[in-house]
Amino acid sequence: MPIRFARRVLTHIPARLRSGNTRPWVLVAASLVVFASRASFLPSTLEDIDSVNFALALDRFDPALHQPHPPGYPVYIALARLVHAIVPDPPKALSLLSALAQAAVVLPLFALFGRLSSSPDRAVLSTVLTLACPILWFNGARPMSDSVGLLFVVSTQALLLRSLDTGRTTLAASLLAGLSLGVRLQAGLLIIPLWLWMVWRRRTWWRPLAALVAGTALWAIPLVIATGGPAEYARVFAETMAEAAGSEPLLVKFTLNRAARILFDVGLAPWISPALGLGVAVLAGIGFLATAARRRHALGLAGLAFLPYFIFHSLVQQAETFRYTLPYIPGIAWLAIEGLGALAERFRFPRMVESALCGTLLTASAALTIPALALYHVTDSPPYAALRAIEARASRRGDFVLAGHYRFWRYFPLRPAGLGFVSAAPGKSIPRLVEHFLTGDDREVLFLANPRRTDLVSFSRTSRRLLGRWEWPTSVRPFLSGERPNEAELFAIKSPRSISGEGWLLSLESGQLDGIPPSPVRFAYLKEMPVPGFLLVAGVPRNHTADCHLDIALPGVLAERAPCGQPLLHGYVIPAKSAAGKYQRLSVTTSDGDQPLRTPFVLNGLDYGPAEEPGFVQGEGWFHPEKDEDLREFRWASPRARALLHVPAGGARLVIEGTAPLKYLGPDVAIDLMGDGVTFATARITDGRFRLEAEISEGGRPFHEVVLSTSRSFVPDAVQRNGDQRRLALRVYSFSLERLP
């Protein structure tokens, strides 16, 4: 039924075009259909952090405060305020503007394809396929600037192509080009090359340039004034670009593995289904060859319109953020329809077959997009769901403080009234929380965490409790790929016994892998206890052969020197303190004799607790915590991974669970757990999963080293070409030590 309906629509409109009796109502009807297919699914909450910035800008426009974030989007905010004057709810207002923009883009899209396509029929089909692209369709219901940016870009491109033929739209195209930069700055890559070609062909410079400058000045001057002047705008813009640069992919770190993934993300992923994306890509490839052979001029114009941005997106932007593909989806759709037409001509298909095949693509897209939009419409975004949980918990009992990773900082103004918070900053969320605990504030901290990070290991494991995790439904996630935040976790953190501070590297987010701290001294903080306790410390040297030492000191308790040219794995007995509750500072200083020395030694293990409890640190041979595809935390173990256990009187049970990548290791892998000259447990892995369990007695000494050994290992770069040179053996998901009853 949907295919028959699509076929009727797609054959009726081209027939109207061929007859020369095209009426405005046809385009108006198409725009209404587009609007209804977006506006029916508007969300009730904001989601990506950019949408929060846009919502805040509706009340106060100030890019210095990231309302919105630089470059500022002044033209977009001006349009959003017009809609907001009618629709008071910010999420609805911003999303409605996206739906209106995609409804309005029907006419300029058809005009653009009318200039590029080989026939009016194919211009219609190109317009339909563009608007049916799943990622473009879905973004027509989102509170983001991309759809408005697409409207301005396509309108400008259509006017520029018309100007090449008649010259009558030159000034309008130039003025709109300047305004487009105020919607999304990346529009310059989609407009300026075509604008330069137009002015060169028309042999006119000054009037188009004046119109372009005027269009830019209309938004740029108010933007700079609202930010606080040129110097302040330059500062906040530079800070934003610097913050983004570290996460942009291919130019930062090129590997063949990442290049292949990015090729998928920029080419196939916007169609959500790999099969649908591959079908469109194959048709686009055929269309490229056919157009290159017959209509090179049209291909050249399309290249000027779409190729610079496509290259920029592939190399510089986050390719996994699929909404960034919207500006060049029209180019891919046009090539795909031209390819479909070339096949129809080659095999003498009736024109109805072209329309039916396009209708099939439309139906497949709708089957993917509409169910996802329906769920998106009724589901709170993960940060909002977490905020509701915070409100419920804070209203029930106790005194709380809110903290979180920086990506949630813009959501803090939405917290329950009266709930205090710990300020966040890029790269400083954990240090700020450390400072908070060191002030002696003993209130429970509700921490909004990015589930993909592992830096909460800076606080002792007994102090952290996961309260909940929220993420988008499975069918919605691909449409929101790369958005921030797409998931959220809520932790309760109460009175950490130990805190790793500056210079400690317990997680990949805690510092640089070379282990060189800002100063020769690294600090951790231990809460004084009224009972005897234990302290476990682990570390490894990195590419260092100099003669140096580690001076480990806890005032009035511990003073020890250890060589830093070999792994550190040591336990200490800590006496009771009569005045318990305060944090005492543990310092580790690298030195050569009596001279402080900054050296690449990584402190990667810390545990502290009362003597009657078990504890452990994972040292040499263990890699930093990571998260898998399901956001489960694990650690890679090398073929020989050492750990130090604190075993209380009465003994403890050690349980290790994980998986072995038999695809890379081969079948029948042997693993052994050894220590104290004996083998505690052994296993042979045949299905990829393993579990080792051993009871370890105190034996008159509290500290016991154990070694997890594996018969085979692999180097990821050798099999995936991803630059990872570590030698890996096992993924360990659970390493637990419990006191025997």
Side-chain angles (χ1 to χ4, degrees), residues 157-173:
Q157 290 172 336
L159 289 175
L160 287 171
L161 292 183
R162 181 173 176 80
S163 177
L164 282 170
D165 294 334
T166 67
R168 281 181 280 180
T169 58
T170 300
L171 295 183

Side-chain angles (χ1 to χ4, degrees), residues 180-535:
S180 298
L181 300 175
V183 180
R184 290 185 65 83
L185 198 58
Q186 298 95 320
L189 293 165
L190 297 139
I191 292 172
I192 299 304
L194 202 57
W195 181 85
L196 290 171
W197 176 252
M198 182 270 298
V199 297
W200 184 79
R201 287 295 304 271
R202 301 301 308 173
R203 298 293 192 272
T204 175
W205 287 90
W206 295 110
R207 294 180 68 193
L209 181 61
L212 177 67
V213 171
T216 305
L218 284 173
W219 60 263
I221 294 174
L223 170 66
V224 172
I225 293 173
T227 310
E232 180 65 10
Y233 181 79
R235 183 189 68 80
V236 297
F237 184 83
E239 286 180 354
T240 301
M241 294 303 102
E243 183 183 338
S247 59
E248 310 298 358
L250 205 54
L251 284 184
V252 175
K253 183 180 178 182
F254 179 88
T255 67
L256 290 176
N257 191 47
R258 297 180 78 195
R261 179 64 194 177
I262 285 171
L263 184 63
F264 174 85
D265 286 344
V266 302
L268 305 186
W271 303 90
I272 302 303
S273 164
L276 179 60
L278 184 61
V280 172
V282 169
L283 289 175
I286 297 171
F288 175 83
L289 295 175
T291 310
R294 303 174 187 174
R295 303 176 59 248
R296 292 183 181 177
H297 181 63
L299 186 62
L301 292 176
L304 288 172
F306 302 112
L307 190 57
Y309 178 84
F310 179 84
I311 295 172
F312 171 80
H313 172 55
S314 302
L315 296 179
V316 178
Q317 295 192 122
Q318 292 179 343
E320 66 270 21
T321 304
F322 296 162
R323 64 182 169 90
Y324 290 165
T325 64
L326 261 64
Y328 63 76
I329 283 173
I332 294 177
W334 169 69
L335 285 175
I337 294 301
E338 290 297 314
L340 184 60
L343 290 176
E345 292 171 5
R346 174 68 177 82
F347 296 103
R348 302 180 184 276
F349 294 152
R351 285 180 176 173
M352 273 187 57
V353 173
E354 282 187 64
S355 300
L357 289 174
C358 187
T360 302
L361 295 176
L362 171 61
T363 303
S365 179
L368 292 167
T369 310
I370 291 177
L373 277 172
L375 277 175
Y376 174 75
H377 171 62
V378 298
T379 305
D380 285 346
S381 66
Y384 269 74
L387 285 170
R388 296 193 199 286
I390 289 171
E391 184 174 11
R393 185 174 181 84
S395 65
R396 285 201 303 267
R397 61 174 182 81
D399 196 5
F400 302 93
V401 177
L402 178 63
H405 285 126
Y406 180 68
R407 65 167 46 192
F408 296 103
W409 175 242
R410 304 302 287 176
Y411 298 89
F412 277 27
L414 307 175
R415 69 189 186 279
L419 181 63
F421 65 93
V422 179
S423 64
K428 298 292 184 182
S429 302
I430 299 302
R432 295 276 176 87
L433 187 55
V434 170
E435 294 171 3
H436 168 79
F437 281 120
L438 294 181
T439 63
D441 192 329
D442 206 34
R443 290 177 292 176
E444 184 173 78
V445 172
L446 299 177
F447 191 91
L448 262 175
N450 174 4
R452 300 188 181 276
R453 296 177 67 95
T454 60
D455 48 5
L456 286 182
V457 297
S458 295
F459 307 97
S460 54
R461 69 177 67 88
T462 57
S463 68
R464 295 175 273 125
R465 191 158 44 93
L466 179 64
L467 300 178
R469 174 186 292 162
W470 298 268
E471 54 189 336
W472 289 106
T474 303
S475 62
V476 177
R477 286 177 216 159
F479 291 88
L480 296 172
S481 174
E483 305 299 348
R484 306 163 302 154
N486 258 349
E487 59 271 318
E489 287 181 338
L490 182 62
F491 280 87
I493 306 176
K494 179 72 171 176
S495 302
R497 290 175 183 165
S498 64
I499 303 173
S500 64
E502 181 182 356
W504 287 75
L505 191 61
L506 301 190
S507 70
L508 288 172
E509 299 91 0
S510 301
Q512 297 298 317
L513 272 179
D514 58 16
I516 301 178
S519 72
V521 187
R522 306 128 199 247
F523 297 113
Y525 304 91
L526 311 178
K527 180 165 280 192
E528 296 175 341
M529 297 182 296
V531 296
F534 68 89
L535 170 65

Side-chain angles (χ1 to χ4, degrees), residues 107-117 154 157-158 161 194 305-306 330:
L107 175 58
L109 260 182
F110 176 69
L112 176 68
F113 292 136
R115 180 64 173 80
L116 295 176
S117 298
V154 172
Q157 290 172 336
L161 292 183
L194 202 57
F306 302 112

Side-chain angles (χ1 to χ4, degrees), residues 58 75-87 93 97 100:
L58 295 177
V75 176
Y76 171 70
I77 295 301
L79 294 173
R81 284 184 169 182
L82 293 177
V83 179
H84 186 49
I86 303 171
V87 181
L97 178 57
L100 290 168

